[in-house]
Amino acid sequence: MAQQETDQRIDSGASGAEPEDGSAVDEHGFVVDTEDAEARELAHRERGTSRPITVVGNPVLHRECQDVTEFDDKLAALIDDMFASQHTAEGVGLAANQIGVDLKVFVYDCPDDDGVRHVGAICNPVLEELPPEERHLDDSNEGCLSVPTAYAALPRPDYAVVRGQDAKGRPVKVSGTGYFARCLQHETDHLYGHLYIDRLSKRDRKDALRQMAENTPRYEIVPND
């Protein structure tokens, strides 16, 4: 997911956790993704290699990705590359198919509405359905690294819970509010073949694609044939 047009303050979180381990969980199975966030993100991207971003129209973005079944060094290297790619593109979330890899995994480095920084990776994510009384919509602007330079208002619930697996295959949950909730929903959508512009009206989708066509991204993309 692209950063919002307005900057947000990011709190690096508490220090003391091992930078290599981003998969600690609390007693309820939720990922502890705020501790030592800066050091963990830096460790990932220093090991990784930045890759160009696929954009709308590339077939890998428009179909459901394959489940992650091997939680090995190859997956760990992919996650490192995803963090490096996300940083280069100045994003707050990145799905594997956005660098052309057909696997259900996304990474994030995203603040919530209190400015607290969340850093992590989740495989095989499933968005939990909220009961109606917990569905409070936020219609803020949304952007996407795969629809570069375009933004549009899109209503989404301001709270989200995603369950899946960490990089070692252990079951985990991630929860978020506000901007981070939007990120979790946006990235899960990607892995099921949906871009945020697919949720817009025809007029707003057309306007987003116009914005993309009229501007030049600040990062390398994979041109569509």
Side-chain angles (χ1 to χ4, degrees):
M1 191 170 86
Q3 291 187 32
Q4 287 182 333
E5 291 179 286
T6 54
D7 292 335
Q8 293 212 10
R9 181 182 66 85
I10 299 180
D11 186 338
S12 297
S15 60
E18 289 294 328
E20 301 290 334
D21 183 10
S23 58
V25 297
D26 66 16
E27 65 273 20
H28 303 294
F30 283 94
V31 170
V32 180
D33 59 5
T34 58
E35 291 186 352
D36 210 21
E38 183 175 10
R40 289 189 291 107
E41 188 275 336
L42 179 62
H44 278 299
R45 62 180 164 89
E46 285 189 336
R47 292 191 300 264
T49 299
S50 182
R51 305 192 200 181
I53 304 296
T54 57
V55 295
V56 57
N58 189 306
V60 74
L61 293 174
H62 301 283
R63 61 173 182 260
E64 182 175 344
C65 293
Q66 298 183 58
D67 289 345
V68 175
T69 58
E70 300 291 333
F71 298 87
D72 52 12
D73 290 345
K74 185 176 180 180
L75 175 64
L78 170 63
I79 289 172
D80 290 341
D81 286 357
M82 291 172 67
F83 272 105
S85 304
Q86 174 180 255
H87 180 79
T88 298
E90 300 180 359
V92 296
L94 186 77
N97 53 357
Q98 291 185 273
I99 56 169
V101 178
D102 185 13
L103 281 177
K104 282 181 183 167
V105 54
F106 72 77
V107 302
Y108 56 88
D109 179 7
C110 185
D112 58 29
D113 280 2
D114 292 323
V116 177
R117 185 175 182 176
H118 298 258
V119 171
I122 188 162
C123 304
N124 304 323
V126 176
L127 187 66
E128 292 191 354
E129 188 71 25
L130 295 176
E133 63 272 16
E134 293 184 20
R135 289 179 58 85
H136 306 293
L137 295 181
D138 169 16
D139 61 358
S140 297
N141 269 5
E142 189 161 324
C144 179
L145 299 179
S146 293
V147 192
T149 75
Y151 292 87
L154 177 63
R156 288 193 190 264
D158 64 359
Y159 175 70
V161 177
V162 171
R163 53 183 170 82
Q165 293 164 282
D166 67 12
K168 298 180 181 179
R170 296 175 293 195
V172 292
K173 293 185 289 186
V174 182
S175 64
T177 59
Y179 188 43
F180 183 39
R182 181 175 296 273
C183 177
L184 294 175
Q185 294 167 83
H186 180 109
E187 301 308 331
T188 300
D189 270 357
H190 266 304
L191 300 178
Y192 291 87
H194 306 300
L195 298 171
Y196 88 99
I197 60 172
D198 297 333
R199 296 184 177 274
L200 300 176
S201 68
K202 289 183 179 180
R203 183 182 66 181
D204 289 347
R205 176 188 170 92
K206 183 177 180 180
D207 183 64
L209 293 174
R210 176 194 58 76
Q211 293 177 54
M212 175 180 166
E214 291 179 353
N215 296 285
T216 302
R218 298 188 301 271
Y219 45 87
E220 185 181 1
I221 64 170
V222 179
N224 294 324
D225 295 331

